[in-house]
Amino acid sequence: MSDTNVKEAVRERYAQAARHVSEGRPSCCGNAALEGSEPITSNLYDVSEKGMLPEAAVLASLGCGNPTALAQLAPGETVLDLGSGGGIDVLLSARRVGPTGKAYGLDMTDDMLALARENQKQAGVENVEFLKGEIEAIPLPDNSVDVIISNCVINLSGDKDRVLREAFRVLKPGGRFAVSDIVTRGEIPDDIRKNVLAWAGCIAGALEEGEYAGKLAAAGFEAIGIEPTRLYRGEDAREFLSGKGIDVDAIAGQLDGKLMSAFVRAVKPKARCCA
């Protein structure tokens, strides 16, 4: 499949999710973030986090983790969320970095950006800016952010090497890459890899954990770590593959234990001075 086809499938899926939430309906994936009904997106945020945000921000969450809780953000830091969607992780990050810090959200979908800006307004958070753009071409200058977060979005890109190079570029020396993503262990059936709908659903584009680490190293990162946060079993596969034109019965057993949500971390080396 072409990168263009993948990108359009992802764009339409997330635009539809934003429209549903804006109309007061559950997103196209259901309101799993609230109800705990879906194996990837459920139960990612605790009650206190959800309680401080507009319901629409939570309803529009289609992530696979909670990077703001894992990234150990500090007051005064500048944070960039790649693929910010309805803005849940941006708004949480803004509260963690405080009024002396800033949180950027980057998204390519107009509907999601409109929803995120409305959520920002309702939340009354000022140290936030939502940008339109693609994660393969981040519209920020070199060495401009302290931390990059992302929530189940990098795996959707057809050019992950470019995404990681761009992340490295905009991070300050010593800056941290701290994302939640879907990662695989071992071989994944071709039926999954070739299915555009599964790609838009966060599965088909997932990198094998060793390959992910290798791409981060090739981009220039060090101190790389991949920590599983949720391992999916065969029965979970039935949930997230239903309705995607895939023989679920044949595939579920082959996926058992090979898909996981993970916290992926790395550091941009600090500038080295000559003696």
Side-chain angles (χ1 to χ4, degrees), residues 48-58 87-89 91-92 95 123:
S48 63
E49 288 175 316
K50 290 185 289 189
M52 68 176 68
L53 298 173
E55 185 181 37
V58 182
I88 184 170
D89 293 313
L91 297 176
L92 289 172
R95 294 185 184 278

Side-chain angles (χ1 to χ4, degrees), residues 24 28 72 82 97 163 182 197 240 253:
C28 54
Q72 298 181 326
L82 300 180
V97 300
V163 173
I182 297 292
L197 288 177
F240 52 67

Side-chain angles (χ1 to χ4, degrees), residues 16-209:
Q16 183 184 49
R19 289 192 295 269
H20 282 194
V21 171
S22 296
E23 294 165 1
R25 296 184 285 160
S27 74
C28 54
C29 299
N31 49 347
L34 289 178
E35 296 179 353
S37 59
E38 202 274 349
I40 290 181
T41 62
S42 63
N43 301 319
L44 302 177
Y45 302 92
D46 64 32
V47 174
S48 63
E49 288 175 316
K50 290 185 289 189
M52 68 176 68
L53 298 173
E55 185 181 37
V58 182
L59 284 171
S61 175
L62 300 173
C64 62
N66 185 348
T68 59
L70 298 169
Q72 298 181 326
L73 302 176
E77 289 189 315
T78 299
V79 184
L80 168 64
D81 181 13
L82 300 180
S84 49
I88 184 170
D89 293 313
V90 179
L91 297 176
L92 289 172
S93 295
R95 294 185 184 278
R96 289 176 185 269
V97 300
T100 60
K102 182 161 186 175
Y104 289 101
L106 175 64
D107 205 279
M108 67 177 180
T109 309
D110 289 325
D111 296 276
M112 274 297 186
L113 286 167
L115 178 61
R117 288 170 180 144
E118 179 59 27
N119 288 332
Q120 177 191 356
K121 180 179 177 181
Q122 290 187 26
V125 180
E126 296 183 355
N127 58 330
V128 163
E129 184 176 350
F130 289 102
L131 307 170
K132 183 176 182 180
E134 298 179 356
I135 62 175
E136 297 86 359
I138 299 171
L140 286 173
D142 297 357
N143 308 315
S144 57
V145 301
D146 297 292
V147 186
I148 284 181
I149 64 170
S150 186
N151 200 344
C152 201
V153 172
I154 293 175
N155 62 78
L156 302 176
S157 173
D159 192 349
K160 297 174 182 64
D161 291 307
R162 188 175 175 186
V163 173
L164 299 180
R165 289 195 300 268
E166 277 289 277
F168 187 88
R169 177 185 66 79
V170 301
L171 277 171
K172 299 174 184 177
R176 310 189 304 282
F177 179 89
V179 311
S180 293
D181 219 343
I182 297 292
V183 180
T184 70
R185 284 179 167 169
E187 292 294 320
I188 297 295
D190 287 343
D191 290 26
I192 302 296
R193 293 287 186 194
K194 294 176 181 177
N195 189 288
V196 174
L197 288 177
W199 196 303
C202 304
I203 302 166
L207 291 173
E208 197 277 329
E209 57 184 327

